[in-house]
Amino acid sequence: APRAALCTSWAPNGGRFAVGLASRDTAVCYFKEDLNCWIAMKVGRSKASVVATAWHPTGQYLATGSMDGRCMVYDVSEDNMLPQPRPPWGEAQVSEDTGSWVNAVMFSPNGRYLAFLSQDATVRIKDLSGGPQAVVAVVSWRGLPFLRGAFLSDRSLIACGFDCVPALFRLNGSRWEASGSLDAAAASSPAVASTASPSGAGMPGGAFAEARSR
């Protein structure tokens, strides 16, 4: 890598890994047996350092978060990657602008939801089954920004950051809400009611693939 590697994540099947770079690139790496070494193939290019990566459960898509405030999802299907890349490999399927650094990205276990945590102390969740016009649910937090998060199920996720206290978020009906800090009663949570913002372009699928054709 020409610049520092800032984050990395393995594909679900363990055959490839992704690296976010300070050079504003994202590399998808695979092992080439005849050369006995790992080969990196770049996908996309951000306007600032890439600090977060996450694989879709199918291994077909890769989400990235960067310091330019964007969360991107690229098609990185292994079938379209090897032996030579061919469309739609490397093409952006989702582009969301948060207006603030993206600290973390993640997919729900079934791949339906994409969540990204921003430096503006918001948790943003996109229902990928909703097609290109799907809105992004935005849940604001009156505390400090979150740095890491993980889905506990397809209807709940946990996030933690500069407050040093994990917070729980749940899907209540069709609305994502903050349930509060896990170290205090929910009534004392610094959560703010969730809102929604228009989505960016593109869309991946499980529900992904269907939404892309709409």
Side-chain angles (χ1 to χ4, degrees):
R3 299 285 292 276
L6 302 177
C7 58
T8 186
S9 58
W10 283 97
N13 65 4
R16 297 178 294 166
F17 65 92
V19 183
L21 302 168
S23 61
R24 301 175 292 172
D25 299 304
T26 302
V28 176
C29 306
Y30 70 98
F31 189 76
K32 193 168 179 60
E33 293 188 6
D34 57 337
L35 298 178
N36 195 33
C37 68
W38 289 88
I39 304 296
M41 297 176 63
K42 292 182 179 180
V43 55
R45 186 169 176 82
S46 299
K47 297 179 181 179
S49 300
V50 177
V51 295
T53 59
W55 292 80
H56 187 266
T58 63
Q60 187 174 354
Y61 303 98
L62 178 72
T64 67
S66 62
M67 296 177 72
D68 63 6
R70 290 191 304 165
C71 174
M72 306 289 295
V73 177
Y74 299 99
D75 187 308
V76 292
S77 168
E78 195 165 5
D79 291 340
N80 293 327
M81 178 179 176
L82 302 173
Q84 294 295 328
R86 59 185 182 276
W89 195 89
E91 295 180 3
Q93 307 299 315
V94 169
S95 177
E96 295 289 348
D97 190 348
T98 70
S100 183
W101 297 357
V102 177
N103 293 326
V105 294
M106 66 217 71
F107 288 101
S108 63
N110 69 1
R112 175 174 175 175
Y113 295 101
L114 168 69
F116 40 109
L117 313 180
S118 302
Q119 190 67 13
D120 62 357
T122 61
V123 174
R124 299 168 187 252
I125 303 165
K126 186 178 181 76
D127 185 349
L128 297 172
S129 69
Q133 303 306 316
V135 298
V136 175
V138 181
V139 184
S140 297
W141 187 256
R142 292 198 184 100
L144 298 176
F146 297 114
L147 291 175
R148 295 291 182 268
F151 276 93
L152 302 178
S153 70
D154 295 312
R155 300 181 63 87
S156 63
L157 68 87
I158 190 171
C160 191
F162 292 106
D163 283 332
C164 301
V165 175
L168 181 66
F169 297 82
R170 288 177 173 166
L171 182 61
N172 183 8
S174 60
R175 184 185 180 90
W176 283 93
E177 299 176 344
S179 294
S181 165
L182 297 186
D183 287 353
S188 64
S189 163
V192 177
S194 62
T195 60
S197 65
S199 70
M203 191 90 285
F208 269 19
E210 294 180 8
R212 289 173 60 193
S213 63
R214 294 179 187 171

